[in-house]
Amino acid sequence: MRRPTLVLAAIAVVILAWLSWRMLWPSDEQRIHRRLQAFAADFNAGTTEGLGTVTRAAKIGSYFTDDIVVDLGPGTPPIHGRDTLAGMAARLQPRTAAFTVELVDITPVVHDDGTADVSLTTAFKRQSLATGEESIDARELALKMKKVGGEWRVMRVTAVSAFR
Amino acid sequence: MASYTAAVPLSLTRRIIFGRDPRRTAVRVIALAGVAFITFTWLLTPIRTQGDSMLPTYRSDTFNLVNRLSYAVGRPSRGDIVAIRLAGPSVVYVKRIVGLPGERVTFVKGVLHVNGTPLDEPYVRHRRAWDTPELTLSPQEYYVVGDNRGMPAGGHSFGAVDRGRILGKVLF
């Protein structure tokens, strides 16, 4: 093989090895990122069947700690507890089939005590079934996450306002 | 004869796709992709506006670009339309700067007052009687609001934002 080809092949091998390493042994930051994306996927996977709704509520609940608190700011009373939150999330989807959530700009900071602070933007997309028009309601959230049984779970959600 | 006629379009196609010198074409494509990636990630962020808060200046579903370098040297000024980031640059608010650091800003019956004086805003077409308490901006804050004042104040995101949240100036 010629020298430039060898150099290119070596670079490709290094990149592949690095990607494999990241995939097989992800850091806590990557685990948090994947966990939150998995939550969004489960949240968006709507079902209208009775048993499916229960399963979905349990699945959504597995992303939170038992004592989760959701504080969306002034004017909205805080939501306490995993069961309350999972039930609300599960009931929301079947009524509004054209409602999806996207989590973007996820930035986790992991601490030594097994917790992490995460900032992210949630984009709630609604598509009108009548007109097809799409609207987005975006919110910045600050999450406190905790590693429980090897899995990262959300223990606190606080809305952050860009405006004072 | 058949193989000869079949070979002509194949070589033409290859030449159109890969060029006369495939290696040089590959280098050009990689360079172009690199320049596009750098430009649209760090210099000019493409955005698609959604919502009516900037009417009539911007309609919903229009495409625009945010110049990330616009305030690298200078400071934001009154009247600039800027992108304000949330947790990151993927979702931004597009608003107009109406108040500068240190100023006092308030809405009285739908009219914007800066330091007690009504501000002339030719870009505003319709107004509702918005009333807000007076806000004194800190040295790092700018007051931003959309051009559409015909909507209820409760459905409009506006107020003082930190300088660090201003991503850049909207180009067009």
Side-chain angles (χ1 to χ4, degrees), chain A residues 138-159:
Chain A
R139 277 182 187 224
E140 181 177 340
L141 298 177
L143 310 185
K144 188 82 182 171
M145 294 184 79
K146 190 180 180 182
K147 210 171 191 177
V148 182
E151 288 280 19
W152 284 97
R153 291 170 196 252
V154 181
M155 59 190 288
R156 189 170 180 92
V157 180
T158 311

Side-chain angles (χ1 to χ4, degrees), chain B:
Chain B
M1 186 67 180
S3 63
Y4 171 75
T5 49
V8 175
L10 188 71
S11 70
L12 246 179
T13 312
R14 280 185 65 139
R15 198 164 151 184
I16 288 168
I17 295 171
F18 299 110
R20 206 172 292 169
D21 183 346
R23 193 177 293 174
R24 190 174 287 180
T25 305
V27 171
R28 280 181 188 154
V29 167
I30 290 167
L32 193 66
V35 168
F37 178 77
I38 290 167
T39 303
F40 294 117
T41 305
W42 290 294
L43 306 180
L44 295 172
T45 303
I47 56 166
R48 183 166 64 95
T49 55
Q50 284 249 319
D52 299 329
S53 76
M54 276 303 286
L55 280 172
T57 312
Y58 295 126
R59 283 185 182 179
S60 193
D61 277 329
T62 51
F63 175 82
N64 216 317
L65 291 165
V66 176
N67 179 3
R68 304 278 295 266
L69 295 180
S70 50
Y71 303 124
V73 182
R75 286 177 169 189
S77 53
R78 199 186 322 277
D80 286 357
I81 297 175
V82 294
I84 294 145
R85 67 161 183 82
L86 296 181
S90 300
V91 180
V92 296
Y93 286 115
V94 174
K95 303 285 172 193
R96 189 184 292 272
I97 292 178
V98 293
L100 302 175
E103 292 182 337
R104 290 176 289 112
V105 183
T106 178
F107 278 98
V108 181
K109 289 188 168 61
V111 178
L112 179 71
H113 287 65
V114 176
N115 292 336
T117 311
L119 189 74
D120 180 32
E121 295 186 286
Y123 40 80
V124 177
R125 291 253 179 94
H126 308 287
R127 289 175 204 273
R128 279 204 185 193
W130 292 8
D131 284 300
T132 60
E134 189 174 83
L135 196 67
T136 303
L137 302 172
S138 77
Q140 278 300 310
E141 283 182 328
Y142 291 81
Y143 199 92
V144 297
V145 62
D147 290 353
N148 184 2
R149 315 285 168 75
M151 58 197 292
H156 194 121
S157 300
F158 65 101
V161 291
D162 193 83
R163 168 74 179 86
R165 281 191 178 268
I166 299 176
L167 205 64
K169 192 174 173 178
V170 177
L171 265 192
F172 307 112

